[in-house]
Amino acid sequence: MVPNSRKSNKKDESKRRLSSTERRRLIIEAAVPLFAQEGFRGVTTKQLAKQAGVSEALLYQHFPSKDDLYAEVQRFSCNPSEELRIMLEGITPSTKMLVLLLYFMTKMIVEHVGFGGTHDPLFPRLMLHSLLDDGAFAREHFHQVTNRMVSMIQRCIAAARAAGDLVSDESDDALVFWFCHHTLVAINMYQLPLVPVMPYHGGSKDALTAPVMRFMLRGIGLTPKATRKYVQFDELAAQVEQWLCNAGKGQDA
Amino acid sequence: MVPNSRKSNKKDESKRRLSSTERRRLIIEAAVPLFAQEGFRGVTTKQLAKQAGVSEALLYQHFPSKDDLYAEVQRFSCNPSEELRIMLEGITPSTKMLVLLLYFMTKMIVEHVGFGGTHDPLFPRLMLHSLLDDGAFAREHFHQVTNRMVSMIQRCIAAARAAGDLVSDESDDALVFWFCHHTLVAINMYQLPLVPVMPYHGGSKDALTAPVMRFMLRGIGLTPKATRKYVQFDELAAQVEQWLCNAGKGQDA
DNA sequence: ATTATCTATAGATCTATAGATAATGC
DNA sequence: ATTATCTATAGATCTATAGATAATGC
């Protein structure tokens, strides 16, 4: 009965009309990789239209200007994932969780592993473009996403200190977390160009995971004893795997 | 006799003609901040001409295209400083020098202190633009400049290990150096937008120096004993001050 | 005489809009 | 009848060049 119930006809599909919200969403999704790759000024409305499979005029039906589309692309790209929130809720702060969360961050930032599998590094590119611009997107992301991690990791650091797993000194826990984060982000950043920038980029991506983990944990002040106890990469990998798989299946983990 | 022998006349000065090499140099110097701020596509030849105080046509007398001018700006901005080479030549690898070189790097990257005083963060911006592009400038810079630091710091790490100032483990000295470098670079990067991105950016710039030094040195594996002995910020500041002042006065330091 | 410099402009894009057309849902 | 979509194009830049002008050095 319904005319377009058959999906085999490509012409029908390509000429099919979408609702305003559907089309709007598709345009944004098509625009993300373009803006991420080339930046706001590096993309033309012509390219945006072509990538989205529509005319340039239609872009302006959905977005008053190229600026507005870019803003929507940024908003879309920094939606805080529900999975992360659920994951963090299930955590009781401890030394073990400190190590695990850092491992998780390392996988996400250095190896681009996310809840939906491995991603193209679109997000870091949008982030750099924003930092070279006004930084608004960067601020929004830290407000929406990173801060959740921060407070949890800070609590884990506190728990580790209470358990005697950290060398005691006067360092600021929040700062130390950011330094770890920064190390990972910079590794990721130097991976962006097709031709490798850093000498250590010869090997595979996960070749850096263990060294940078050790560096960060020592920087945080984890004792050698605690390191031997908690830094077992096989176990860490298994646990993170489980997090990534369970995500989206509700809180029944 | 000579019409423009008087220099008080501004019109004469503004109409004065320069040699090809002088003008070329001035155009490049005027273009650096523009390209650093806005990126290649964010700057028009009109702006470049205005900033250099010449017509657009003259730009094309000196550079075949905007691309070529950009390439020259990059080449100009990553000239390895003679001062650094001289400074590094005068160093004998040791734990003390390891700490000092890291302090020096921190001052340069986080606080923008250089041989000619404090700089605008033009260089890091060019670097980020390059990383979002093909990374050629980044590779060239590491080839020209950073690698000199790397080999010296690696030798310092080796010396520190030999002196028993490092906890002994299997970490890769070169990697560990890069992680330190990355931490500093990322701190710098998040400082770029006018509106601060990171919560820790509330205070003054040098508020981060001590914490990040401690983080890096612990990450490298400096023992608590060696840390107490060598990490005296007053002395470090004095020594770096001396380096910066002596630079350019020849090898007689 | 040479060459540094400018004015004026061609030709190619690029953003955005006006107005026409055709698919959709009642 | 409504609205998603397109074609065609206006108007504003943007890069680059042609050809004219004026300062410089011999």
Side-chain angles (χ1 to χ4, degrees), chain A residues 169-208:
Chain A
D169 67 1
E170 71 281 26
S171 69
D172 178 327
D173 291 347
L175 275 184
V176 163
F177 163 77
W178 284 118
F179 296 150
C180 293
H181 170 267
H182 286 8
T183 309
L184 299 174
V185 164
I187 289 173
N188 175 271
M189 177 172 87
Y190 288 111
Q191 283 178 350
L192 293 180
L194 283 173
V195 181
V197 171
M198 286 293 164
Y200 60 69
H201 279 151
S204 64
K205 261 175 195 165
D206 64 342
L208 286 176

Side-chain angles (χ1 to χ4, degrees), chain B residues 233-245:
Chain B
F233 288 104
D234 292 347
E235 290 176 22
L236 293 172
Q239 176 66 55
V240 162
E241 190 69 27
Q242 200 182 322
W243 269 348
L244 294 175
C245 292

Side-chain angles (χ1 to χ4, degrees), chain B residues 72-84:
Chain B
E72 289 304 308
V73 162
Q74 289 188 317
R75 202 190 316 277
F76 176 81
S77 299
C78 95
N79 57 346
S81 82
E82 194 64 8
E83 292 96 328
L84 182 65

Side-chain angles (χ1 to χ4, degrees), chain A residues 91-99 152 155-157 159-160 165 230:
Chain A
I91 288 176
T92 307
S94 68
T95 308
K96 184 182 177 184
M97 281 300 153
L98 171 62
V99 175
M152 179 51 77
R155 276 186 285 164
C156 285
I157 293 178
D165 290 330
Y230 293 108

Side-chain angles (χ1 to χ4, degrees), chain A residues 215 218-219, chain B residues 98 102 153 157 161 166-167 169 171 173 176-177 180 215-222:
Chain A
F215 175 78
R218 240 177 5 204
Chain B
L98 170 63
L102 281 173
I153 289 196
I157 293 178
R161 174 161 290 129
L166 293 190
V167 301
D169 68 1
S171 70
D173 293 346
V176 162
F177 163 76
C180 293
F215 176 79
M216 292 189 296
L217 287 168
R218 242 180 0 207
I220 289 176
L222 198 72

